[in-house]
Amino acid sequence: MESKIVYKDEFMELCEDFTDVGYMAENIEVRDLFQEKKLITRSSSERHMTLLLSFPHAKEEFANEILALDELMSRIQVELKCYLIFDEDSDEKTVLKNRLKKFEMVFDADNEFGSLYGTKLVSGTLEDRLTKALFLISKDGAIFYIDMPNDLSRPLDVDRLRVELNRAYSSYTGVGCHG
């Protein structure tokens, strides 16, 4: 995974810890809109897939992309838990939250997501924020697909996400690798 991110002609560094496709996802503790702790687990007894989405902020340049992804995910017919993760709360995020249909907005208050998934920016004007990233976690808790553009002005690959959602859903047998 590339550790340099570009935003408005500025180069920034990501933290050194990365995870990759095929690895077991990490459980992360986040905070909800009421600052209550919430545990997002890599898998559940309901066997749903999980989508983790992060952005540096919710201003207009990213809000439109977030809302388009939210609209797409709200039309998905399979059980899918969707989390929109920011580093901290702000007024623009509260406004965005009221427009979301599928994503649950949470905050990486203890920096678990940023550190464990390699999404924390450690330099530049966005230092200590989360980069634009998408992680699709399969029903068995493995990271199935990652989209983390090196250039934050580049949108996430929605067409590829559709393909990967179908692959992740149809490839799960429920018996594990030894069954």
Side-chain angles (χ1 to χ4, degrees):
M1 187 92 24
E2 182 69 36
S3 66
K4 294 224 186 280
I5 300 293
V6 178
Y7 178 65
K8 296 183 177 178
D9 297 323
E10 177 186 2
F11 286 90
M12 293 170 264
E13 298 278 332
L14 284 171
C15 64
E16 293 184 15
D17 294 327
F18 292 105
T19 191
D20 210 350
V21 170
Y23 285 91
M24 187 60 66
E26 297 285 344
N27 294 336
I28 55 171
E29 192 172 275
V30 295
R31 297 208 181 251
D32 65 15
L33 290 168
F34 304 104
Q35 295 304 310
E36 297 292 323
K37 289 183 179 182
K38 177 181 182 72
L39 184 65
I40 299 176
T41 58
R42 62 178 155 247
S43 60
S44 74
S45 58
E46 294 98 39
R47 295 288 186 206
H48 58 73
M49 293 185 292
T50 303
L51 191 72
L52 304 176
L53 179 66
S54 66
F55 279 84
H57 56 73
K59 294 178 182 155
E60 186 175 347
E61 66 190 292
F62 295 132
N64 293 333
E65 184 174 3
I66 293 166
L67 291 169
L69 281 165
D70 182 62
E71 180 64 34
L72 172 66
M73 293 303 107
S74 72
R75 294 191 312 254
I76 299 294
Q77 298 296 313
V78 298
E79 187 63 31
L80 178 67
K81 296 284 186 182
C82 297
Y83 298 96
L84 175 57
I85 306 171
F86 291 106
D87 60 318
E88 61 185 20
D89 198 359
S90 67
D91 290 341
E92 83 238 2
K93 293 173 187 123
T94 303
V95 171
L96 177 66
K97 185 260 175 227
N98 293 331
R99 298 175 64 192
L100 295 174
K101 296 176 185 177
K102 180 71 175 176
F103 279 95
E104 178 181 347
M105 188 181 295
V106 295
F107 304 99
D108 191 25
D110 298 324
N111 195 34
E112 287 189 16
F113 178 71
S115 295
L116 294 172
Y117 285 80
T119 60
K120 181 179 179 179
L121 292 160
V122 296
S123 68
T125 56
L126 296 177
E127 184 174 356
D128 292 328
R129 295 203 179 258
L130 301 175
T131 192
K132 182 192 295 191
L134 181 148
F135 293 83
L136 175 60
I137 300 170
S138 65
K139 293 178 185 181
D140 60 359
I143 297 173
F144 197 87
Y145 171 67
I146 300 172
D147 189 358
M148 192 181 312
N150 296 344
D151 184 345
L152 296 182
S153 66
R154 195 193 92 198
L156 295 166
D157 190 342
V158 176
D159 292 332
R160 174 85 187 269
L161 174 59
R162 285 184 181 117
V163 169
E164 297 300 338
L165 279 164
N166 286 329
R167 286 184 57 230
Y169 180 75
S170 62
S171 67
Y172 180 73
T173 62
V175 295
C177 61
H178 301 290

